[in-house]
Amino acid sequence: MPQKILIIKLGSSGDVLRTTSILSGLKNKYPDSLVTWLVNGNSKELLEGNPNIDKIVVHNDDAVNLLSQEKFDIVLSLDKATEGTRLASSVSAEEKYGFGIDEKGGLRPLNELAEYSYRLGMDDDLKFFKNRKTYQELTYEMSGLNYRKNAYELILGSGNFDFADNFFKVNGLNGNQRVIGVNTGAGSVFANKYLKKERIIELIRLLKKEMGAKILLLGGPSEKDINGYVMKGIGNDAIDGGCENSVKDFAALINRCSAVIAADTLAMHIAIALKKPVVALFGPTCSREIDLYGRGQKIVTTAGCAPCYKNKCNKKVTCMDKIDLNEIVRAVQACVMLQTDTVSL
């Protein structure tokens, strides 16, 4: 009989996307398995169309009740949110990996292999400075699988590619031009996770001066105001990619870029998933847990207070202010040259 596997990973969207790297490892160890993934509704689209997932279940009370009545062979509880850990502890399964809750409702590791990842959430010194393992390594470790640089999995449809092709055509872009995607936001969970809008304008001007590249401004609904400000300040030096695209149409635009500049956010993870060169900017979050798979560069703030993972910051000069814009441009140039050399080979 095929093994019934339940993956519990609800959100955020970037975390869900990078967790898809576990799928190839699972299918390698359990080739006949039936995989169910419990996810929040806003991340469902990222999983759709993936042949390694047999069933996608959107998290709600009804879904939890139905899953609680099923029996699984394996449960991978990869989310520390209470909604996921409670289900992981109650659902019937022969083997359980990752995180659950104890009798008092507190977070606990479900297996010995999850102890290290559990401690990362409790020990700032370990997480911020001592840890050298990427998120993917940690996920594989707690799941009892061998990590072999397993890639993210993101499946785009023909409609997504058509959308990007049409967008590029309408905006006078072609395959021979260097198009640099600049993603402006990074959510609201952590303070100062992205560049200030004035510095984004300055960065775009530097990219135009040093590289003569076309600049595609990227963002979602939360970036509508900041992108509007940037476009007003930059004029014809950038093309607005829009802030109301579906997640996969947004990904299709990234797929057409020569390189992408992004903070530690969904756009960065999409670029990684699509094997696009990415210049990833890190301020309040840890760079060591991110694996670029050799396709890009990390630029880490020199601020002594980082990383901090704080959601508020009162400093006038923030950690992201201490990232040198010229260093970003040089990293983009290196990424584009590497891509050119790889294609020519």
Side-chain angles (χ1 to χ4, degrees), residues 180-185 195 200 203-204 207 215-219 227 230 257 259-262 267:
I180 308 302
V182 178
N183 191 78
T184 58
L195 297 174
I200 294 171
L203 173 61
I204 291 173
L207 289 167
I215 308 299
L216 179 60
L217 206 62
L218 300 168
N227 283 16
V230 171
C257 293
V260 174
I261 302 168

XYZ file of all heavy atoms in Angstrom, residues 180-185 195 200 203-204 207 215-219 227 230 257 259-262 267:
165
model
N 16.334 44.017 -15.187
C 16.598 43.792 -13.765
C 15.314 44.041 -12.986
O 14.742 45.131 -13.027
C 17.702 44.736 -13.236
C 18.948 44.665 -14.126
C 18.041 44.385 -11.791
C 19.549 43.292 -14.262
N 14.848 43.011 -12.293
C 13.660 43.159 -11.456
C 14.031 43.712 -10.095
O 14.956 43.204 -9.446
N 13.359 44.768 -9.668
C 13.595 45.362 -8.350
C 12.316 45.219 -7.542
O 11.313 45.878 -7.810
C 13.992 46.848 -8.462
C 14.184 47.445 -7.069
C 15.265 47.001 -9.286
N 12.345 44.319 -6.554
C 11.180 44.136 -5.688
C 11.297 45.080 -4.502
O 12.319 45.099 -3.807
C 11.100 42.689 -5.200
C 9.789 42.393 -4.522
O 8.771 42.187 -5.183
N 9.779 42.369 -3.190
N 10.267 45.867 -4.266
C 10.389 46.985 -3.333
C 10.014 46.681 -1.893
O 10.473 47.365 -0.981
C 9.513 48.154 -3.811
O 8.153 47.699 -3.905
C 9.975 48.659 -5.167
N 9.175 45.699 -1.647
C 8.667 45.459 -0.297
C 9.154 44.161 0.304
O 9.927 43.416 -0.296
N 14.558 48.291 1.536
C 15.134 49.622 1.369
C 14.051 50.700 1.418
O 12.921 50.479 0.970
C 15.858 49.712 0.028
C 17.069 48.798 -0.181
C 17.555 48.928 -1.623
C 18.190 49.122 0.793
N 15.511 53.344 -3.061
C 15.150 52.540 -4.231
C 15.291 53.381 -5.498
O 15.809 52.914 -6.525
C 13.727 51.981 -4.088
C 13.656 50.976 -2.936
C 13.283 51.307 -5.397
C 12.258 50.528 -2.592
N 18.911 53.680 -6.202
C 19.432 52.417 -6.727
C 19.096 52.249 -8.198
O 19.952 51.837 -8.999
C 18.853 51.250 -5.916
C 19.174 49.839 -6.430
C 20.682 49.587 -6.428
C 18.437 48.780 -5.607
N 17.871 52.547 -8.579
C 17.459 52.417 -9.973
C 18.302 53.326 -10.866
O 18.747 52.929 -11.955
C 15.958 52.714 -10.122
C 15.136 51.602 -9.465
C 15.576 52.862 -11.601
C 13.653 51.878 -9.403
N 21.672 51.723 -11.331
C 21.595 50.588 -12.251
C 21.537 51.064 -13.693
O 22.187 50.495 -14.586
C 20.371 49.735 -11.924
C 20.422 48.916 -10.634
C 19.044 48.383 -10.285
C 21.411 47.758 -10.767
N 14.682 48.398 -16.126
C 14.312 48.119 -14.738
C 12.821 47.820 -14.661
O 11.989 48.603 -15.116
C 14.630 49.308 -13.816
C 16.083 49.751 -13.982
C 14.315 48.953 -12.370
C 17.109 48.682 -13.642
N 12.500 46.663 -14.094
C 11.108 46.263 -13.897
C 10.793 46.341 -12.417
O 11.387 45.626 -11.598
C 10.877 44.842 -14.414
C 9.470 44.274 -14.255
C 8.445 45.136 -14.987
C 9.409 42.831 -14.759
N 9.882 47.221 -12.057
C 9.495 47.398 -10.658
C 8.495 46.318 -10.276
O 7.464 46.143 -10.928
C 8.894 48.784 -10.456
C 8.987 49.397 -9.052
C 10.442 49.582 -8.637
C 8.248 50.717 -9.004
N 8.793 45.587 -9.199
C 7.987 44.450 -8.781
C 7.367 44.700 -7.411
O 7.952 45.383 -6.570
C 8.843 43.183 -8.721
C 9.509 42.742 -10.029
C 10.550 41.658 -9.756
C 8.461 42.245 -11.016
N 6.215 44.110 -7.180
C 5.574 44.211 -5.870
C 4.167 43.655 -5.904
O 3.623 43.354 -6.969
N 5.447 51.698 -4.630
C 5.760 51.624 -6.060
C 5.245 52.851 -6.804
O 5.885 53.334 -7.738
C 5.182 50.348 -6.669
C 6.006 49.120 -6.319
O 6.824 49.171 -5.398
N 5.811 48.029 -7.030
N 7.788 55.522 -6.119
C 9.015 55.300 -6.890
C 8.798 55.645 -8.352
O 9.631 56.321 -8.982
C 9.501 53.840 -6.735
C 10.642 53.547 -7.706
C 9.948 53.581 -5.303
N 13.118 38.061 -16.042
C 14.185 38.988 -15.673
C 15.564 38.340 -15.815
O 15.722 37.132 -15.642
C 13.995 39.460 -14.227
S 12.538 40.490 -13.968
N 18.031 39.275 -13.798
C 18.391 39.136 -12.389
C 17.335 39.870 -11.564
O 16.612 40.724 -12.079
C 19.773 39.708 -12.107
N 17.258 39.540 -10.276
C 16.260 40.133 -9.390
C 16.940 40.631 -8.122
O 17.806 39.949 -7.556
C 15.166 39.108 -9.015
C 14.209 39.680 -7.975
C 14.395 38.671 -10.263
N 16.564 41.825 -7.703
C 17.006 42.383 -6.417
C 15.820 42.316 -5.465
O 14.739 42.828 -5.767
C 17.465 43.841 -6.563
C 18.610 43.951 -7.573
C 17.903 44.408 -5.214
C 18.923 45.387 -7.973
N 16.009 41.679 -4.326
C 14.892 41.525 -3.389
C 15.414 41.356 -1.977
O 16.500 40.809 -1.762
C 14.030 40.326 -3.772
N 9.400 37.356 -3.237
C 10.023 37.559 -4.544
C 11.393 36.886 -4.607
O 11.760 36.316 -5.639
C 10.157 39.049 -4.838
